[in-house]
mmCIF file of all heavy atoms in Angstrom:
data_model
loop_
_atom_site.group_PDB
_atom_site.id
_atom_site.type_symbol
_atom_site.label_atom_id
_atom_site.label_comp_id
_atom_site.label_asym_id
_atom_site.label_seq_id
_atom_site.Cartn_x
_atom_site.Cartn_y
_atom_site.Cartn_z
ATOM 1 N N LEU A 3 -22.195 -70.898 -49.822
ATOM 2 C CA LEU A 3 -21.410 -70.477 -50.974
ATOM 3 C C LEU A 3 -22.018 -69.238 -51.626
ATOM 4 O O LEU A 3 -21.313 -68.269 -51.934
ATOM 5 C CB LEU A 3 -21.334 -71.617 -51.985
ATOM 6 C CG LEU A 3 -20.869 -71.259 -53.407
ATOM 7 C CD1 LEU A 3 -19.402 -70.851 -53.383
ATOM 8 C CD2 LEU A 3 -21.077 -72.423 -54.348
ATOM 9 N N VAL A 4 -23.329 -69.232 -51.833
ATOM 10 C CA VAL A 4 -23.988 -68.106 -52.489
ATOM 11 C C VAL A 4 -23.850 -66.836 -51.648
ATOM 12 O O VAL A 4 -23.733 -65.726 -52.194
ATOM 13 C CB VAL A 4 -25.473 -68.440 -52.749
ATOM 14 C CG1 VAL A 4 -26.220 -67.227 -53.309
ATOM 15 C CG2 VAL A 4 -25.591 -69.599 -53.737
ATOM 16 N N SER A 5 -23.824 -66.984 -50.319
ATOM 17 C CA SER A 5 -23.656 -65.810 -49.457
ATOM 18 C C SER A 5 -22.287 -65.166 -49.639
ATOM 19 O O SER A 5 -22.104 -63.991 -49.298
ATOM 20 C CB SER A 5 -23.848 -66.202 -47.989
ATOM 21 O OG SER A 5 -22.759 -66.993 -47.533
ATOM 22 N N GLN A 6 -21.324 -65.911 -50.189
ATOM 23 C CA GLN A 6 -19.972 -65.380 -50.397
ATOM 24 C C GLN A 6 -19.930 -64.333 -51.509
ATOM 25 O O GLN A 6 -18.962 -63.581 -51.614
ATOM 26 C CB GLN A 6 -18.996 -66.514 -50.741
ATOM 27 C CG GLN A 6 -18.736 -67.475 -49.594
ATOM 28 C CD GLN A 6 -17.789 -66.888 -48.571
ATOM 29 O OE1 GLN A 6 -18.175 -66.063 -47.750
ATOM 30 N NE2 GLN A 6 -16.542 -67.289 -48.610
ATOM 31 N N PHE A 7 -20.960 -64.300 -52.356
ATOM 32 C CA PHE A 7 -20.984 -63.305 -53.432
ATOM 33 C C PHE A 7 -21.040 -61.890 -52.868
ATOM 34 O O PHE A 7 -20.480 -60.955 -53.433
ATOM 35 C CB PHE A 7 -22.194 -63.548 -54.340
ATOM 36 C CG PHE A 7 -21.965 -64.607 -55.378
ATOM 37 C CD1 PHE A 7 -22.399 -65.894 -55.183
ATOM 38 C CD2 PHE A 7 -21.282 -64.312 -56.545
ATOM 39 C CE1 PHE A 7 -22.187 -66.876 -56.133
ATOM 40 C CE2 PHE A 7 -21.059 -65.285 -57.501
ATOM 41 C CZ PHE A 7 -21.514 -66.567 -57.298
ATOM 42 N N HIS A 8 -21.744 -61.719 -51.766
ATOM 43 C CA HIS A 8 -21.937 -60.389 -51.206
ATOM 44 C C HIS A 8 -20.737 -59.944 -50.362
ATOM 45 O O HIS A 8 -20.368 -58.780 -50.381
ATOM 46 C CB HIS A 8 -23.212 -60.374 -50.361
ATOM 47 C CG HIS A 8 -24.432 -60.828 -51.113
ATOM 48 N ND1 HIS A 8 -25.039 -60.041 -52.079
ATOM 49 C CD2 HIS A 8 -25.144 -61.988 -51.069
ATOM 50 C CE1 HIS A 8 -26.075 -60.689 -52.582
ATOM 51 N NE2 HIS A 8 -26.161 -61.870 -51.978
ATOM 52 N N ASP A 9 -20.141 -60.864 -49.618
ATOM 53 C CA ASP A 9 -19.003 -60.511 -48.763
ATOM 54 C C ASP A 9 -18.144 -61.757 -48.575
ATOM 55 O O ASP A 9 -18.468 -62.630 -47.772
ATOM 56 C CB ASP A 9 -19.509 -59.992 -47.413
ATOM 57 C CG ASP A 9 -18.363 -59.510 -46.524
ATOM 58 O OD1 ASP A 9 -17.281 -59.242 -47.075
ATOM 59 O OD2 ASP A 9 -18.565 -59.412 -45.300
ATOM 60 N N PHE A 10 -17.032 -61.835 -49.337
ATOM 61 C CA PHE A 10 -16.196 -63.027 -49.295
ATOM 62 C C PHE A 10 -15.473 -63.120 -47.961
ATOM 63 O O PHE A 10 -14.788 -62.178 -47.543
ATOM 64 C CB PHE A 10 -15.179 -63.006 -50.444
ATOM 65 C CG PHE A 10 -14.379 -64.266 -50.552
ATOM 66 C CD1 PHE A 10 -14.896 -65.360 -51.228
ATOM 67 C CD2 PHE A 10 -13.118 -64.374 -49.973
ATOM 68 C CE1 PHE A 10 -14.168 -66.537 -51.333
ATOM 69 C CE2 PHE A 10 -12.390 -65.542 -50.065
ATOM 70 C CZ PHE A 10 -12.926 -66.630 -50.752
ATOM 71 N N ASP A 11 -15.631 -64.268 -47.296
ATOM 72 C CA ASP A 11 -15.021 -64.505 -45.991
ATOM 73 C C ASP A 11 -14.066 -65.692 -46.111
ATOM 74 O O ASP A 11 -14.511 -66.824 -46.315
ATOM 75 C CB ASP A 11 -16.102 -64.795 -44.949
ATOM 76 C CG ASP A 11 -15.532 -64.993 -43.549
ATOM 77 O OD1 ASP A 11 -14.293 -64.921 -43.403
ATOM 78 O OD2 ASP A 11 -16.315 -65.230 -42.614
ATOM 79 N N PRO A 12 -12.737 -65.473 -45.990
ATOM 80 C CA PRO A 12 -11.785 -66.588 -46.143
ATOM 81 C C PRO A 12 -12.012 -67.717 -45.137
ATOM 82 O O PRO A 12 -11.828 -68.884 -45.459
ATOM 83 C CB PRO A 12 -10.422 -65.921 -45.923
ATOM 84 C CG PRO A 12 -10.653 -64.478 -46.226
ATOM 85 C CD PRO A 12 -12.056 -64.186 -45.812
ATOM 86 N N LYS A 13 -12.409 -67.382 -43.898
ATOM 87 C CA LYS A 13 -12.660 -68.413 -42.891
ATOM 88 C C LYS A 13 -13.840 -69.281 -43.292
ATOM 89 O O LYS A 13 -13.801 -70.510 -43.153
ATOM 90 C CB LYS A 13 -12.909 -67.774 -41.528
ATOM 91 C CG LYS A 13 -11.686 -67.126 -40.909
ATOM 92 C CD LYS A 13 -11.979 -66.602 -39.518
ATOM 93 C CE LYS A 13 -10.728 -66.002 -38.886
ATOM 94 N NZ LYS A 13 -11.000 -65.469 -37.528
ATOM 95 N N LEU A 14 -14.908 -68.646 -43.789
ATOM 96 C CA LEU A 14 -16.063 -69.417 -44.237
ATOM 97 C C LEU A 14 -15.700 -70.256 -45.452
ATOM 98 O O LEU A 14 -16.157 -71.405 -45.587
ATOM 99 C CB LEU A 14 -17.219 -68.475 -44.574
ATOM 100 C CG LEU A 14 -18.521 -69.142 -45.060
ATOM 101 C CD1 LEU A 14 -19.049 -70.127 -44.024
ATOM 102 C CD2 LEU A 14 -19.574 -68.091 -45.389
ATOM 103 N N ALA A 15 -14.859 -69.724 -46.333
ATOM 104 C CA ALA A 15 -14.421 -70.486 -47.513
ATOM 105 C C ALA A 15 -13.659 -71.737 -47.085
ATOM 106 O O ALA A 15 -13.845 -72.819 -47.655
ATOM 107 C CB ALA A 15 -13.557 -69.604 -48.413
ATOM 108 N N ALA A 16 -12.789 -71.603 -46.071
ATOM 109 C CA ALA A 16 -12.057 -72.768 -45.568
ATOM 110 C C ALA A 16 -13.010 -73.789 -44.955
ATOM 111 O O ALA A 16 -12.841 -74.999 -45.117
ATOM 112 C CB ALA A 16 -11.026 -72.323 -44.525
ATOM 113 N N ASN A 17 -14.053 -73.303 -44.272
ATOM 114 C CA ASN A 17 -15.054 -74.195 -43.690
ATOM 115 C C ASN A 17 -15.827 -74.939 -44.775
ATOM 116 O O ASN A 17 -16.152 -76.129 -44.625
ATOM 117 C CB ASN A 17 -15.997 -73.383 -42.811
ATOM 118 C CG ASN A 17 -17.042 -74.247 -42.121
ATOM 119 O OD1 ASN A 17 -18.190 -74.311 -42.551
ATOM 120 N ND2 ASN A 17 -16.651 -74.906 -41.044
ATOM 121 N N LEU A 18 -16.111 -74.260 -45.879
ATOM 122 C CA LEU A 18 -16.816 -74.901 -46.993
ATOM 123 C C LEU A 18 -15.960 -75.987 -47.630
ATOM 124 O O LEU A 18 -16.466 -77.055 -48.008
ATOM 125 C CB LEU A 18 -17.197 -73.851 -48.039
ATOM 126 C CG LEU A 18 -18.221 -72.803 -47.605
ATOM 127 C CD1 LEU A 18 -18.491 -71.808 -48.729
ATOM 128 C CD2 LEU A 18 -19.529 -73.466 -47.192
ATOM 129 N N LYS A 19 -14.661 -75.736 -47.739
ATOM 130 C CA LYS A 19 -13.769 -76.762 -48.281
ATOM 131 C C LYS A 19 -13.710 -77.981 -47.357
ATOM 132 O O LYS A 19 -13.591 -79.115 -47.817
ATOM 133 C CB LYS A 19 -12.358 -76.179 -48.488
ATOM 134 C CG LYS A 19 -12.230 -75.298 -49.731
ATOM 135 C CD LYS A 19 -10.808 -74.808 -49.902
ATOM 136 C CE LYS A 19 -10.624 -74.114 -51.238
ATOM 137 N NZ LYS A 19 -10.677 -75.049 -52.386
ATOM 138 N N GLU A 20 -13.796 -77.746 -46.054
ATOM 139 C CA GLU A 20 -13.807 -78.855 -45.108
ATOM 140 C C GLU A 20 -15.059 -79.709 -45.305
ATOM 141 O O GLU A 20 -15.014 -80.938 -45.201
ATOM 142 C CB GLU A 20 -13.750 -78.299 -43.682
ATOM 143 C CG GLU A 20 -13.571 -79.366 -42.618
ATOM 144 C CD GLU A 20 -13.384 -78.772 -41.234
ATOM 145 O OE1 GLU A 20 -12.752 -77.706 -41.131
ATOM 146 O OE2 GLU A 20 -13.873 -79.368 -40.261
ATOM 147 N N LYS A 21 -16.172 -79.064 -45.598
ATOM 148 C CA LYS A 21 -17.411 -79.815 -45.860
ATOM 149 C C LYS A 21 -17.291 -80.639 -47.139
ATOM 150 O O LYS A 21 -17.856 -81.738 -47.223
ATOM 151 C CB LYS A 21 -18.595 -78.852 -45.958
ATOM 152 C CG LYS A 21 -18.977 -78.222 -44.621
ATOM 153 C CD LYS A 21 -20.112 -77.223 -44.781
ATOM 154 C CE LYS A 21 -20.428 -76.581 -43.435
ATOM 155 N NZ LYS A 21 -21.440 -75.518 -43.543
ATOM 156 N N GLU A 22 -16.561 -80.123 -48.108
ATOM 157 C CA GLU A 22 -16.374 -80.896 -49.338
ATOM 158 C C GLU A 22 -15.548 -82.144 -49.065
ATOM 159 O O GLU A 22 -15.777 -83.194 -49.656
ATOM 160 C CB GLU A 22 -15.687 -80.011 -50.388
ATOM 161 C CG GLU A 22 -15.968 -80.426 -51.825
ATOM 162 C CD GLU A 22 -15.197 -81.668 -52.245
ATOM 163 O OE1 GLU A 22 -14.022 -81.790 -51.856
ATOM 164 O OE2 GLU A 22 -15.764 -82.516 -52.962
ATOM 165 N N VAL A 23 -14.585 -82.038 -48.142
ATOM 166 C CA VAL A 23 -13.813 -83.213 -47.724
ATOM 167 C C VAL A 23 -14.740 -84.239 -47.080
ATOM 168 O O VAL A 23 -14.610 -85.450 -47.307
ATOM 169 C CB VAL A 23 -12.686 -82.797 -46.746
ATOM 170 C CG1 VAL A 23 -12.015 -84.029 -46.152
ATOM 171 C CG2 VAL A 23 -11.654 -81.941 -47.457
ATOM 172 N N VAL A 24 -15.711 -83.762 -46.287
ATOM 173 C CA VAL A 24 -16.691 -84.669 -45.671
ATOM 174 C C VAL A 24 -17.473 -85.406 -46.749
ATOM 175 O O VAL A 24 -17.696 -86.617 -46.653
ATOM 176 C CB VAL A 24 -17.644 -83.883 -44.751
ATOM 177 C CG1 VAL A 24 -18.721 -84.801 -44.181
ATOM 178 C CG2 VAL A 24 -16.881 -83.215 -43.621
ATOM 179 N N LEU A 25 -17.878 -84.693 -47.784
ATOM 180 C CA LEU A 25 -18.615 -85.333 -48.883
ATOM 181 C C LEU A 25 -17.755 -86.393 -49.570
ATOM 182 O O LEU A 25 -18.261 -87.467 -49.941
ATOM 183 C CB LEU A 25 -19.069 -84.277 -49.898
ATOM 184 C CG LEU A 25 -20.147 -83.289 -49.414
ATOM 185 C CD1 LEU A 25 -20.461 -82.272 -50.504
ATOM 186 C CD2 LEU A 25 -21.423 -84.033 -49.021
ATOM 187 N N ASP A 26 -16.475 -86.112 -49.758
ATOM 188 C CA ASP A 26 -15.573 -87.102 -50.362
ATOM 189 C C ASP A 26 -15.500 -88.370 -49.506
ATOM 190 O O ASP A 26 -15.546 -89.492 -50.022
ATOM 191 C CB ASP A 26 -14.172 -86.511 -50.528
ATOM 192 C CG ASP A 26 -14.103 -85.461 -51.619
ATOM 193 O OD1 ASP A 26 -15.006 -85.439 -52.475
ATOM 194 O OD2 ASP A 26 -13.159 -84.651 -51.604
ATOM 195 N N VAL A 27 -15.371 -88.182 -48.189
ATOM 196 C CA VAL A 27 -15.274 -89.327 -47.284
ATOM 197 C C VAL A 27 -16.562 -90.139 -47.292
ATOM 198 O O VAL A 27 -16.535 -91.373 -47.376
ATOM 199 C CB VAL A 27 -14.938 -88.843 -45.853
ATOM 200 C CG1 VAL A 27 -15.025 -89.992 -44.858
ATOM 201 C CG2 VAL A 27 -13.545 -88.225 -45.810
ATOM 202 N N LEU A 28 -17.701 -89.452 -47.224
ATOM 203 C CA LEU A 28 -18.990 -90.160 -47.228
ATOM 204 C C LEU A 28 -19.222 -90.871 -48.552
ATOM 205 O O LEU A 28 -19.768 -91.988 -48.582
ATOM 206 C CB LEU A 28 -20.125 -89.171 -46.949
ATOM 207 C CG LEU A 28 -20.152 -88.552 -45.546
ATOM 208 C CD1 LEU A 28 -21.318 -87.578 -45.413
ATOM 209 C CD2 LEU A 28 -20.259 -89.639 -44.486
ATOM 210 N N HIS A 29 -18.814 -90.246 -49.655
ATOM 211 C CA HIS A 29 -18.925 -90.887 -50.969
ATOM 212 C C HIS A 29 -18.178 -92.216 -50.991
ATOM 213 O O HIS A 29 -18.712 -93.248 -51.425
ATOM 214 C CB HIS A 29 -18.366 -89.930 -52.029
ATOM 215 C CG HIS A 29 -18.287 -90.518 -53.401
ATOM 216 N ND1 HIS A 29 -17.207 -90.356 -54.224
ATOM 217 C CD2 HIS A 29 -19.161 -91.297 -54.092
ATOM 218 C CE1 HIS A 29 -17.413 -90.993 -55.367
ATOM 219 N NE2 HIS A 29 -18.588 -91.568 -55.307
ATOM 220 N N ARG A 30 -16.958 -92.194 -50.485
ATOM 221 C CA ARG A 30 -16.148 -93.412 -50.453
ATOM 222 C C ARG A 30 -16.749 -94.473 -49.534
ATOM 223 O O ARG A 30 -16.910 -95.635 -49.934
ATOM 224 C CB ARG A 30 -14.741 -93.046 -49.989
ATOM 225 C CG ARG A 30 -13.757 -94.210 -49.923
ATOM 226 C CD ARG A 30 -12.586 -93.861 -49.024
ATOM 227 N NE ARG A 30 -13.002 -93.720 -47.640
ATOM 228 C CZ ARG A 30 -12.388 -92.927 -46.765
ATOM 229 N NH1 ARG A 30 -11.381 -92.197 -47.133
ATOM 230 N NH2 ARG A 30 -12.820 -92.862 -45.518
ATOM 231 N N ASP A 31 -17.104 -94.070 -48.314
ATOM 232 C CA ASP A 31 -17.554 -95.051 -47.325
ATOM 233 C C ASP A 31 -18.933 -95.615 -47.649
ATOM 234 O O ASP A 31 -19.181 -96.810 -47.458
ATOM 235 C CB ASP A 31 -17.564 -94.416 -45.930
ATOM 236 C CG ASP A 31 -16.158 -94.149 -45.407
ATOM 237 O OD1 ASP A 31 -15.204 -94.650 -46.037
ATOM 238 O OD2 ASP A 31 -16.011 -93.448 -44.392
ATOM 239 N N ILE A 32 -19.847 -94.771 -48.136
ATOM 240 C CA ILE A 32 -21.178 -95.273 -48.508
ATOM 241 C C ILE A 32 -21.070 -96.225 -49.694
ATOM 242 O O ILE A 32 -21.746 -97.260 -49.741
ATOM 243 C CB ILE A 32 -22.129 -94.107 -48.829
ATOM 244 C CG1 ILE A 32 -22.380 -93.255 -47.581
ATOM 245 C CG2 ILE A 32 -23.459 -94.624 -49.367
ATOM 246 C CD1 ILE A 32 -23.192 -91.991 -47.847
ATOM 247 N N SER A 33 -20.208 -95.873 -50.652
ATOM 248 C CA SER A 33 -20.037 -96.753 -51.825
ATOM 249 C C SER A 33 -19.500 -98.123 -51.405
ATOM 250 O O SER A 33 -20.006 -99.166 -51.854
ATOM 251 C CB SER A 33 -19.084 -96.098 -52.833
ATOM 252 O OG SER A 33 -19.607 -94.876 -53.305
ATOM 253 N N HIS A 34 -18.476 -98.146 -50.544
ATOM 254 C CA HIS A 34 -17.939 -99.423 -50.058
ATOM 255 C C HIS A 34 -19.006 -100.202 -49.301
ATOM 256 O O HIS A 34 -19.120 -101.438 -49.450
ATOM 257 C CB HIS A 34 -16.746 -99.171 -49.138
ATOM 258 C CG HIS A 34 -15.534 -98.694 -49.865
ATOM 259 N ND1 HIS A 34 -14.430 -98.181 -49.219
ATOM 260 C CD2 HIS A 34 -15.233 -98.644 -51.190
ATOM 261 C CE1 HIS A 34 -13.511 -97.844 -50.115
ATOM 262 N NE2 HIS A 34 -13.983 -98.105 -51.312
ATOM 263 N N PHE A 35 -19.800 -99.503 -48.509
ATOM 264 C CA PHE A 35 -20.853 -100.143 -47.722
ATOM 265 C C PHE A 35 -21.909 -100.770 -48.634
ATOM 266 O O PHE A 35 -22.317 -101.931 -48.437
ATOM 267 C CB PHE A 35 -21.492 -99.099 -46.804
ATOM 268 C CG PHE A 35 -22.529 -99.640 -45.866
ATOM 269 C CD1 PHE A 35 -22.170 -100.306 -44.708
ATOM 270 C CD2 PHE A 35 -23.881 -99.459 -46.129
ATOM 271 C CE1 PHE A 35 -23.127 -100.798 -43.831
ATOM 272 C CE2 PHE A 35 -24.849 -99.941 -45.269
ATOM 273 C CZ PHE A 35 -24.472 -100.610 -44.116
#
């Protein structure tokens, strides 16, 4: 994310959002576990 300050890359931004989805899934599944 911090590297985006120097040169914003839409593809990398989409990849970062995908990682946030991973965090949401892990949050849910670890909590249930």
Side-chain angles (χ1 to χ4, degrees):
L3 165 68
V4 174
S5 71
Q6 292 283 78
F7 277 98
H8 305 287
D9 184 19
F10 186 83
D11 182 359
K13 291 184 178 179
L14 180 58
N17 182 259
L18 294 179
K19 283 182 171 290
E20 188 174 325
K21 290 177 182 175
E22 205 285 321
V23 172
V24 176
L25 292 178
D26 289 341
V27 172
L28 293 179
H29 174 223
R30 181 200 67 209
D31 290 349
I32 295 174
S33 298
H34 289 168
F35 184 79

